Amino acid sequence: MGGQQMFSEKVAVITGGANGIGKCIANEFKKNGADVCIIDKAESEHFVGDISDKAVLESFANGVIKKHGHVDYLVNNALPLMRGINECSYEEFQYALSVGVTAPFYLSKLLMPYFNTGGSIINISSSRDRMSQPQTESYTAAKGGIFALTHALAVSLAGKVRVNSISPGWIDTNYREYEGADAVQQPVGRVGNPMDIANMVLFLCSDKAGFITGENICIDGGMTRLMIYHGDNGWELN
């Protein structure tokens, strides 16, 4: 990506930026000169709050604008709750959608008047927006929602803010290196790490991606493209 000042004087807002992928994205923006505003439930020096709460979102957005006066990039990264249909309550499902879909929508709405021309919104979805494991309904529904919200926002904000989404596959936030079946089941031969996602976020926010909007990019090492049949590549159904 080059240059420490690629995002100099730019303001990047990141939800769920205290740990994992969000923390990596925040650090990469900082390395490239951006002022970074984070909201997360984890206690630290950033804005601490639960983004399922409308008042928390309003307070956070007001604080960002009061301090900086404008926004250039919004990364909706906060992690929804994962519960399956057997055990997920009505309230838990609603909470997952509040964190995963409603909050990204409302924060985009709150910050919309303050986006600089050339601004960018990146929604972090998941490869689970197109495939599932059993008992993941709340998380999968939220990720499917932000996937669709992306192209709706891209059309509504056309000419002012580009909006794209990224669907990570298996990302190990501890940068663990895997061998054997865990690695080779992915066509690139390894499990992903947060930098795989952060690099794409910064690219999509850069001028190099100026002709990309309303798009989803799945970063999963090709895992969703590998067709699996009984007996192929060592796979056996037991």
Side-chain angles (χ1 to χ4, degrees), residues 38-122:
I38 293 171
I39 182 170
D40 199 293
K41 290 195 299 182
E43 295 288 340
S44 190
E45 297 178 356
H46 54 252
F47 189 102
V48 177
D50 187 336
I51 66 170
S52 70
D53 188 326
K54 177 185 177 185
V56 167
L57 289 172
E58 291 171 347
S59 178
F60 173 60
N62 287 338
V64 170
I65 299 309
K66 182 177 180 180
K67 182 175 181 179
H68 297 285
H70 74 276
V71 173
D72 296 281
Y73 315 117
L74 168 61
V75 183
N76 289 305
N77 167 77
L79 199 65
L81 184 71
M82 183 184 287
R83 292 285 189 277
I85 191 167
N86 288 357
E87 296 184 358
C88 186
S89 68
Y90 179 90
E91 291 76 15
E92 287 173 328
F93 194 85
Q94 288 286 75
Y95 181 75
L97 295 183
S98 293
V99 170
V101 183
T102 307
F105 164 78
Y106 194 51
L107 195 52
S108 298
K109 181 179 177 69
L110 291 171
L111 296 177
M112 182 175 61
Y114 305 99
F115 266 95
N116 275 337
T117 300
S120 183
I121 296 173
I122 308 296

Side-chain angles (χ1 to χ4, degrees), residues 1 17 29-30 45 49 52 63 69 78 92 99-100 131 154 176 182 185 199 202-203 206 209 212 217 227 236-237:
M1 300 296 296
F29 268 120
K30 291 174 183 176
E45 297 178 356
S52 70
E92 287 173 328
V99 170
M131 60 192 299
R176 175 184 169 187
D182 288 335
Q185 67 179 311
N199 284 335
L202 267 64
F203 169 72
S206 75
I212 303 174
I217 299 173
M227 296 180 68
E236 299 288 340
L237 180 61

Side-chain angles (χ1 to χ4, degrees), residues 107-163:
L107 195 52
S108 298
K109 181 179 177 69
L110 291 171
L111 296 177
M112 182 175 61
Y114 305 99
F115 266 95
N116 275 337
T117 300
S120 183
I121 296 173
I122 308 296
N123 294 323
I124 304 299
S125 184
S126 167
S127 60
R128 294 172 187 266
D129 59 20
R130 68 206 67 190
M131 60 192 299
S132 293
Q133 290 177 298
Q135 303 302 320
T136 61
E137 279 76 13
S138 67
Y139 185 90
T140 300
K143 292 304 187 180
I146 202 170
F147 177 96
L149 177 65
T150 296
H151 55 75
L153 286 173
V155 172
S156 294
L157 303 183
K160 184 172 185 181
V161 180
R162 293 183 298 105
V163 188

